[in-house]
Amino acid sequence: MAVQQAAGSDPYFPEHGDARYRVHRYELALDYRPGPNRLAGTARINAIAGRSPLTEFTLNLSDFKIGRVRVDGRQPHYTHRGGRLRIRPAKPIRAGAAFTVEVHWSGNPKPVASPWGGLGWEELEDGALVASQPIGAPSWYPCNDRPADKASYQISVTTPSAYAVVAGGRLLTRTTKASTTTWVYEQSAPTSSYLVGLAIGKFQTVLLGDPGPGGVPQHGHIPAHLLPEFSRDFARQPQMMDLFQELFGLYPFGEYAVVVTDEELDVPVEAQGLSLFGANHVDGARGSERLVAHELAHQWFGNSVSIADWRHIWLNEGFAKYAEWLWSERSGGRTAQQLAASAHRLLSSQPQDLRLADPGRKSMFDDRLYERGGLTVHAVRCALGDDAFFRMLRAWVGLHRSGAVTTAMFTAHVNRFADEPLDDLFAAWVYGTALPALPAQIPARPAHPPTNAESA
C-alpha cells in the first residue's frame, strides 16, 4: 500500500488514474448484446480517500452516455469529457474515509486509441473480448486506471444464451431466464484495472489435466473446431504449472483459464487468472508453446506482483521471457544459456539506446525490452548461482504477493541474496543502454529443482 500512496500520476499516461484515492472493490453489472454491440452497465465502486480530503476525483471512462452518478448515495456535480469522469461530491470526503461511487453508463463500446492501435473492448465477428494492456480498461467500465491501484472484482454479465462468458476468477453462478443468461464471476485477489479480462463467444470448455486435491483447476475455452489442435498445443500447460510453482512459489490465484478466439490476435494477452490467444496461436504442432509459458508466468510476474507504474514494465516482461527459457531448459529444449546467447546475438545487431529502468512510452513494448529483460534475469542467475537465485525469486513473489513494485525495490531485494553487491551488474544491464557482455558463467543445473519446502 505504501507504493500506491506514494505514486503520483503515471509518467507515461498522466491522464490515466488518480493517486488521491484507491479502490477497494468494483462490482460491475453488465448487459451486452453482440449483434448491435450494445453495452449497458452499472458500477458500484468502494474506495478510500488518501491523505488529503477529496473535494473532487476522477475515474477513467470512454465515450459512453452517463445515466446516473452517485457518491455515498448523493448526487454530485460531474463532467465527462476526454475519457475522464470528473466528480465533485456534494461535500468533501474526509482524508482516509471510505466512500462509494455508483455509475450507470451505456453505449457502443470500442477500443481506446493508443500508439499500439485500439486497446480494450474489441467487437469480434461473433462476440467480444477485452485486451486492455496498458490503458484499455476504460473502454468498457469506469475505473481508477493505474496499475498500482489493485482491487477485488465481482463481474456480472448478461448476454444472449447462445454465448458463453469467460472472466478471470471463480464462476459463482450462471442463471438463464428466457433467452438470456447471466454469468457472475468473483476475483477476490487484488487486480489491476488493465488485467480484468473478459471474453464473450461460442466456446467449448475443457479441463486441462487433473488438478487433484488442492491443485489448480485449469480450463480451456475454445471454438469446437480448434479442439484437436488445442489439445496438443496446450497439453503441457499442467506441467508448466507444476514447474513454475516449484520455481516461483504457489500459484497466486484460485484457478487459471485460457481462451482461444476464432480470430487472429497479434500477440496473446494476459489477464488476471486468464490468458487470451488467437486462432493463429493454435497449430497442432506446439508452435506457440513458448507463449503458453510466457502468459502463464505473468500470473506471478505482472499480475500477482504488479508494477507501481509503467516505467517498470521490464519486471513483468523480463521475467515472463525468462520463464520461457526455464521451461525450455527443463522440458528438454535449449538451455537458458543457449537462449540467452541467441538473444544476445540478436540485440548486438540492433540499436542500443533502450534503458530497461525507464524505456519511455514509445519503447515499452519494444521486442528489445523483452529480450534484454530476459538477459538481465539470466545475468542475475549467473551472478547468484541457482540455489540463491531461486530462493531470491520465491522470496520476491512471496513478499510482494498482491502488491506493487519498482525496479529499485527489485535491485535492493536481489542484493540481499548476493555475496557482494550487484550494483555494477544493474548499472550496466538495467540503467545503462550499451549491451553488456553475455554472462560467461553457465549456471549449474541442479539434479533436482529446489522445492517450496526447501526454500521456506
Side-chain angles (χ1 to χ4, degrees), residues 327-351:
W327 168 250
S328 173
E329 180 171 87
R330 292 294 298 276
S331 63
R334 289 194 290 169
T335 66
Q337 183 71 19
Q338 291 168 330
L339 290 163
S342 294
H344 195 273
R345 284 193 298 272
L346 177 67
L347 288 177
S348 66
S349 66
Q350 297 182 345

Side-chain angles (χ1 to χ4, degrees), residues 58-124:
T58 62
L59 290 163
N60 293 103
L61 180 64
S62 289
D63 186 21
F64 290 98
K65 179 182 178 182
I66 304 294
R68 169 186 167 110
V69 178
R70 293 289 185 272
V71 177
D72 291 332
R74 301 179 66 180
Q75 184 171 342
H77 176 78
Y78 69 88
T79 59
H80 182 219
R81 63 175 70 96
R84 301 184 84 189
L85 180 60
R86 190 181 300 274
I87 299 170
R88 189 182 308 136
K91 68 179 205 175
I93 298 165
R94 291 180 294 105
F99 63 100
T100 301
V101 186
E102 184 182 325
V103 181
H104 296 223
W105 74 100
S106 61
N108 300 107
K110 61 181 185 295
V112 172
S114 83
W116 310 279
L119 301 172
W121 190 283
E122 185 173 341
E123 182 186 7
L124 304 176

Side-chain angles (χ1 to χ4, degrees), residues 192-216:
S192 301
S193 52
Y194 82 93
L195 288 170
V196 183
L198 185 68
I200 300 171
K202 296 173 180 175
F203 304 121
Q204 184 161 336
T205 299
V206 296
L207 180 67
L208 285 161
D210 179 4
V216 180

Side-chain angles (χ1 to χ4, degrees), residues 261-286:
T261 74
D262 213 359
E263 300 183 26
E264 294 193 357
L265 298 180
D266 290 341
V267 292
V269 181
E270 76 271 14
Q272 187 135 312
L274 173 70
S275 293
L276 303 164
F277 294 80
N280 51 310
H281 300 121
V282 176
D283 61 8
R286 293 181 179 156

